[in-house]
């Protein structure tokens, strides 16, 4: 019988199941990136379980997510690869996941990192197609680049504002609860 890994390699190599056939090099790159992502997740999980949680771990894991997503998107070949890949929309998810940690600097880092990673994808696509970047010929039209960069930036700004508002509401609630506790302790004395 064939294992899951062997079946995946055969589907990718020969384009079984509606996909395009891939070279051995492309298959190796994609499988290597998924292994790297899995190892990163296991490393973070180990740090969390052993309560080894340095303040920089959230920045490191978010940066690694951005890097691995960018490399995976670069490895995708064909007309839907690179900056035209649907994987680009995972950058928005990375910004949203950064917000779950209620850290405004982390959201800023995820937003700016996502924008830089997208421009890296555009640069690589231009270099592959035309041999140079910042010329009149673009693999992705400039208006599309600007729209996606604007969307990423606005997502970071909006998520940042939500974090600020949630923090202020939490602080206000905490102050009210403190005053209620003090009033109850004075009333029971």
């Amino acid at each position: 019988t064939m294992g899951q890994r062997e079946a995946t390699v055969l589907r990718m190599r020969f384009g079984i199941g509606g996909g395009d056939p891939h070279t051995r090099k492309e298959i190796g790159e994609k499988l290597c990136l998924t292994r790297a992502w899995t190892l990163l997740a296991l490393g973070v999980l180990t740090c969390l379980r052993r309560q080894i949680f340095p303040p920089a771990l959230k920045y490191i894991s978010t940066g690694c997510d951005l890097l691995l997503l960018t490399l995976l998107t670069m490895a995708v070949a064909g007309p839907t690869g690179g900056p035209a890949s649907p994987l680009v929309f995972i950058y928005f998810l990375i910004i949203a996941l950064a917000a779950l940690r209620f850290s405004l600097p982390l959201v800023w880092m995820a937003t700016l990192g996502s924008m830089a990673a997208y421009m890296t994808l555009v640069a690589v696509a231009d270099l592959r197609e035309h041999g140079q970047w910042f010329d009149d010929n673009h693999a992705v039209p400039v208006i599309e680049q600007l729209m996606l960069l604007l969307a990423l930036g606005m997502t970071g700004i909006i998520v940042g504002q939500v974090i600020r508002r949630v923090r202020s509401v939490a602080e206000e609630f905490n102050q009210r609860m403190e005053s209620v506790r003090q009033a109850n302790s004075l009333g029971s004395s």
Side-chain angles (χ1 to χ4, degrees):
T1 63
M2 187 181 315
Q4 176 94 15
R5 181 177 165 85
E6 290 85 6
T8 301
V9 169
L10 285 175
R11 277 195 301 272
M12 291 174 73
R13 179 72 175 118
F14 298 107
I16 299 170
D20 293 327
H22 298 286
T23 66
R24 281 180 254 168
K25 182 180 177 186
E26 291 171 337
I27 294 169
E29 288 174 353
K30 289 177 186 177
L31 292 179
C32 181
L33 286 172
T34 56
R35 267 191 237 124
W37 217 324
T38 303
L39 289 173
L40 171 69
L42 288 173
V44 169
L45 182 63
T46 302
C47 288
L48 290 173
R49 283 199 175 156
R50 293 183 181 208
Q51 297 180 348
I52 304 168
F53 198 77
L57 185 61
K58 58 187 172 186
Y59 295 99
I60 293 168
S61 64
T62 301
C64 287
D65 283 343
L66 289 168
L67 177 67
L68 290 171
L69 175 60
T70 303
L71 292 174
L72 181 66
T73 308
M74 277 187 216
V76 174
T80 60
S85 171
L87 292 174
V88 167
F89 295 106
I90 297 176
Y91 289 125
F92 292 98
L93 181 62
I94 290 174
I95 295 170
L97 290 174
L100 291 177
R101 295 184 178 172
F102 292 101
S103 170
L104 195 55
L106 182 63
V107 170
W108 292 340
M109 181 265 208
T111 302
L112 293 174
S114 295
M115 294 169 82
Y118 176 73
M119 287 311 297
T120 302
L121 290 175
V122 170
V124 169
D126 278 348
L127 288 171
R128 284 182 182 166
E129 269 190 38
H130 308 292
Q132 60 183 3
W133 192 31
F134 289 126
D135 62 351
D136 292 338
N137 298 325
H138 296 286
V140 177
V142 175
I143 190 72
E144 288 181 26
Q145 294 175 31
L146 292 175
M147 290 302 292
L148 193 75
L149 289 172
L150 182 65
L152 286 168
M154 290 304 294
T155 300
I157 290 170
I158 291 168
V159 166
Q161 292 302 321
V162 168
I163 289 173
R164 282 189 178 128
R165 182 65 185 141
V166 166
R167 254 200 204 135
S168 69
V169 168
E171 288 170 1
E172 183 180 312
F173 178 76
N174 191 25
Q175 288 173 352
R176 286 184 185 174
M177 292 304 293
E178 254 331 286
S179 64
V180 167
R181 281 188 203 117
Q182 288 176 355
N184 286 340
S185 67
L186 291 175
S188 63
S189 302

